[in-house]
Each structure stands twice: as structure tokens, then as C-alpha cells.
Amino acid sequence: MIKLFNRFKNSPSSIAVFFRFAGVGLCISIIDITLLYFLKEIDIFNLFFNRSISLSTSILFGYFLNRYFTFHHIEIGRALWDSIIRHFSVHAVGGIINMLIFLISLSLLKKIFFEGILFELILAVAVIFGGITGLTFNFFFSKKIVFDN
């Protein structure tokens, strides 16, 4: 099993790269959701501002995980800051798409279900919907713009 994992971890195939990217996406979604709930509990800022902070933090973590885990087999040959700027540019657009889907999902789900006890679940589902949409966009453009040869 370890041998199989190491082959997967080091494989440059598009399928392996996508699944590593999705795995990183899952990790940063956990960071995003955890930070969002933490900021919500502190109750200093509104939900939109809290979500912006949690999303930005998760994007930064995502850059390092993708650079050293997902796309480690590609030598991009550019400075770290240049690469981070490209990453944030791509993921900012992906984040805007993510945020729009999050807000639309949150609004629709709140209308379908009552807000009481289910709000915590509705919040997580809206983050997941936004995340899936952002993942698709970010993978394609990360591969083409950020971590290209």
C-alpha cells in the first residue's frame, strides 16, 4: 500500500495530479471552514468579511501545498513571489466564483430549510458547493498559468 501511495504521490500523470490537487482542496477546505467557524464565534466581523479572511488564508496554504505536493514534478523556474502572485491571481478569480456560489447556495438553502439548528449544516454545504466550483476553475488555470513549464 505504501508503495502504491508513493507511486501516486510522485506520478506526473494528469489523473494523479488532479487527485492530489483535489486532496489539497479538501485540506484547505477544512482550514477554510474551521477558520470561518472560529471567526463566526468571535463575532467581530460580518459573515462576508469572515469568509474573505478564511478564504484568503486557505488560498495561501493551498499555494504551498500545491507547489510542494501536487506540482512538485514541474520545475517552474520563477521566483517564489512571482509564483505566489500568479497563484493568488488565479485563485482570486476562483475565489470570487467560489464566493458567489457560496452566497447563492446560502441564500437558496436558507429559503428551503429553516435557519435555526440547520444553519451550521447549511453553512458547511454552501462552502462545499463553492469549493467544488472553485476547485474546477482553479485546477485548470493553476496547471496552465501558475505551475506551467
Side-chain angles (χ1 to χ4, degrees):
M1 188 65 140
I2 292 173
K3 193 182 227 183
L4 182 64
F5 176 76
N6 284 333
R7 268 187 48 199
F8 170 76
K9 182 182 79 163
N10 296 322
S11 175
S13 80
S14 294
I15 293 171
V17 171
F18 175 78
F19 280 107
R20 288 193 305 259
F21 191 85
V24 168
L26 179 63
C27 290
I28 66 173
S29 292
I30 292 168
I31 292 168
D32 188 6
I33 291 169
T34 302
L35 188 54
L36 178 61
Y37 281 127
F38 174 74
L39 292 170
K40 183 181 165 291
E41 288 302 313
I42 293 175
D43 200 29
I44 296 174
F45 305 112
N46 66 29
L47 184 61
F48 182 80
F49 190 73
N50 289 344
R51 179 75 167 106
S52 298
I53 291 171
S54 68
L55 186 60
S56 297
T57 303
S58 67
I59 289 172
L60 184 61
F61 274 92
Y63 169 76
F64 288 105
L65 290 171
N66 280 318
R67 181 175 175 114
Y68 296 110
F69 178 66
T70 305
F71 297 104
H72 61 83
H73 61 284
I74 298 173
E75 179 54 47
I76 55 177
R78 60 176 73 96
L80 179 65
W81 285 109
D82 181 44
S83 194
I84 287 175
I85 289 169
R86 286 173 180 250
H87 181 78
F88 264 89
S89 298
V90 166
H91 286 258
V93 175
I96 290 168
I97 293 168
N98 182 331
M99 187 72 85
L100 288 172
I101 298 299
F102 166 75
L103 293 171
I104 291 167
S105 300
L106 189 62
S107 176
L108 291 174
L109 289 169
K110 281 169 56 176
K111 287 179 183 175
I112 295 170
F113 302 102
F114 64 94
E115 198 172 314
I117 297 170
L118 291 177
F119 183 73
E120 303 299 323
L121 179 61
I122 290 170
L123 195 60
V125 169
V127 168
I128 290 167
F129 285 167
I132 290 170
T133 308
L135 169 77
T136 305
F137 177 88
N138 290 338
F139 176 72
F140 179 76
F141 286 101
S142 288
K143 192 173 179 181
K144 297 292 181 195
I145 296 173
V146 181
F147 299 104
D148 59 340
N149 286 327

